[in-house]
DNA sequence: ATAATTTTAGATCGCGCGATCTAAAATCCC
DNA sequence: GGGATTTTAGATCGCGCGATCTAAAATTAT
């Protein structure tokens, strides 16, 4: 038929993710993207529509490769309480292993583009996927006794989601290991089953 | 001496806060600021240096009027556990009473400008002020028995800070009252003193 | 080979940006 | 009241933006 594309869709999308992740949507220019992706401006527009379309496709690829991959992997291989703790451990590791201080791409997008008419509802849904993962684990853990039933599964899931997000905010600004680990450990303590009764001192 | 200013510093700073809060630093133009503040571009530069200087002064005024005011007011008038709960209640109220979805100005700044060489360290300090408030209250509450001692004061303070930040992130994207209140309530439950021992079922 | 079709890169469009120059208007000291 | 001084507003600077036009390069069906 005609001349084939000279680039792989996935590879150039990864380059676009790098740009948007490091600088945000507004501060990333078409010229930045063109250079990092290794394709010219018109090719970019031909393949992805416009800057905003490229942005949305970058977000979807990022989510598939990070958040959704992690949820599927942990949920398929671990007991409920262990899956939640492993999720936290991986996020803590990412938050503390971020010398360029780029933070969480999804969180950056959530704050920069929460009023974007094409993204607002989607972003709520993406965060809802994390909350739903926590809720499934907590529900299962409460059923088998490995997770406390002092609070409802939905409320525990909501609290865990809040701490995950807050953790990534503070790690962006102050990536201190004791701070981040203390925050995570204390939140996870809410999952501990009721301890053996102990007397007050 | 000479011609006096035609505007009040505080009043035009409030207008600048409105702009930066709604649009962020990068997406707010000098012309936006000039119009909202009611002064011309050159007057703005004469009074505040440049756009970035105006931004920093706007942040400081915002913090004095909101976060620091709240901390001083609650800490000066309430018992420790009540002060923490009142802090949460006020933040929840603000997070849910935000029809324009502007979120928390400090949090927006923290994510958009965390790599700003003139702001990075300051932002960590601002969040540290909140953490320090929580830590003072928890320490005092643990001393008088009104707050649980299962976890250390510093870890509880860190967890509370995380939830406050996460709460404002999620409220920006999905301002659902059950979601936000469940998150806050479950975090605050970590402060409850040890309940009377109860048997496992 | 050649015709048809798609992708490619360079040049360029109008626009809005942060910042500044110029000079007129306004005020206080004397 | 007049001179010195500061603030004011309109006009404008060069620059980088998102997006697109043009035409050359590359590939396949015939």
């Amino acid at each position: 038929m005609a001349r084939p594309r000279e680039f792989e869709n996935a590879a150039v999308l990864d380059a676009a993710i790098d740009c948007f992740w490091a600088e945000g949507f507004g501060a990333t220019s078409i010229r930045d993207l063109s250079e990092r992706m290794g394709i010219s401006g018109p090719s970019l527009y031909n393949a992805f529509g416009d800057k905003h379309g490229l942005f949305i496709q970058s977000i979807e690829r990022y989510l598939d490769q990070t958040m959704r991959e992690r949820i599927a992997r942990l949920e398929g291989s671990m007991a409920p309480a262990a899956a939640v703790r492993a999720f936290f451990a991986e996020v803590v590791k990412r938050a503390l292993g971020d010398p360029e201080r780029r933070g969480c791409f999804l969180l950056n997008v959530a704050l920069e583009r929460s009023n974007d008419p094409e993204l607002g509802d989607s972003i709520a849904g993406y965060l809802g996927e994390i909350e739903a993962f926590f809720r499934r684990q907590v529900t299962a853990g409460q059923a088998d006794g490995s997770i406390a039933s002092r609070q409802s599964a939905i409320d525990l899931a909501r609290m865990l989601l809040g701490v995950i997000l807050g953790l990534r905010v503070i790690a962006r600004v102050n990536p201190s290991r004791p701070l981040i680990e203390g925050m995570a450990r204390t939140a996870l303590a809410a999952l501990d089953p009721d301890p053996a009764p102990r007397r007050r001192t």
Side-chain angles (χ1 to χ4, degrees), chain A:
Chain A
M1 296 287 287
R3 176 175 178 175
R5 292 258 169 93
E6 290 188 356
F7 56 88
E8 289 273 340
N9 205 282
V12 299
L13 265 187
D14 284 339
I17 289 171
D18 273 347
C19 290
F20 288 131
W21 196 346
E23 307 289 342
F25 176 77
T28 299
S29 73
I30 296 293
R31 287 156 181 87
D32 293 336
L33 291 163
S34 173
E35 181 178 1
R36 185 81 71 94
M37 296 165 81
I39 65 177
S40 67
S43 293
L44 188 159
Y45 276 83
N46 182 50
F48 300 101
D50 61 5
K51 183 186 174 186
H52 198 265
L54 173 60
F55 185 55
I56 290 177
Q57 292 178 62
S58 299
I59 294 169
E60 282 293 337
R61 175 164 170 83
Y62 168 85
L63 292 175
D64 285 340
Q65 292 207 319
T66 59
M67 180 188 82
R68 289 170 181 145
E69 182 278 331
R70 181 181 305 133
I71 287 174
R73 173 167 43 83
L74 299 180
E75 193 158 29
S77 69
M78 294 180 128
V84 172
R85 290 190 162 82
F87 189 100
F88 265 74
E90 292 194 17
V91 171
V92 167
K93 184 171 185 178
R94 282 176 77 89
L96 292 175
D98 181 21
E100 307 203 23
R101 306 269 192 110
R102 300 190 304 175
C104 168
F105 186 34
L106 172 56
L107 178 52
N108 299 351
V109 170
L111 281 226
E112 184 186 357
R113 309 298 306 173
S114 64
N115 292 328
D116 186 321
E118 292 189 54
L119 273 176
D121 294 343
S122 301
I123 295 169
Y126 300 148
L127 297 181
E129 293 180 42
I130 302 175
E131 180 190 340
F133 162 75
F134 285 143
R135 183 164 32 78
R136 290 191 299 272
Q137 308 315 306
V138 172
T139 299
Q142 287 180 332
D144 69 19
S146 61
I147 290 179
S149 297
R150 292 183 295 271
Q151 285 101 15
S152 69
I154 183 66
D155 279 350
L156 280 171
R158 287 163 169 165
M159 186 274 287
L160 295 173
L161 173 64
V163 173
I164 282 284
L165 294 173
L167 184 157
R168 298 229 61 172
V169 171
I170 193 84
R172 181 92 181 275
V173 161
N174 185 10
S176 147
R177 180 172 294 276
L179 171 58
I180 301 304
E181 291 186 341
M183 188 178 293
R185 179 186 344 114
T186 309
L188 289 171
L191 304 181
D192 292 339
D194 292 327
R198 81 174 66 144
R199 297 183 177 280
R200 278 179 282 163
T201 54

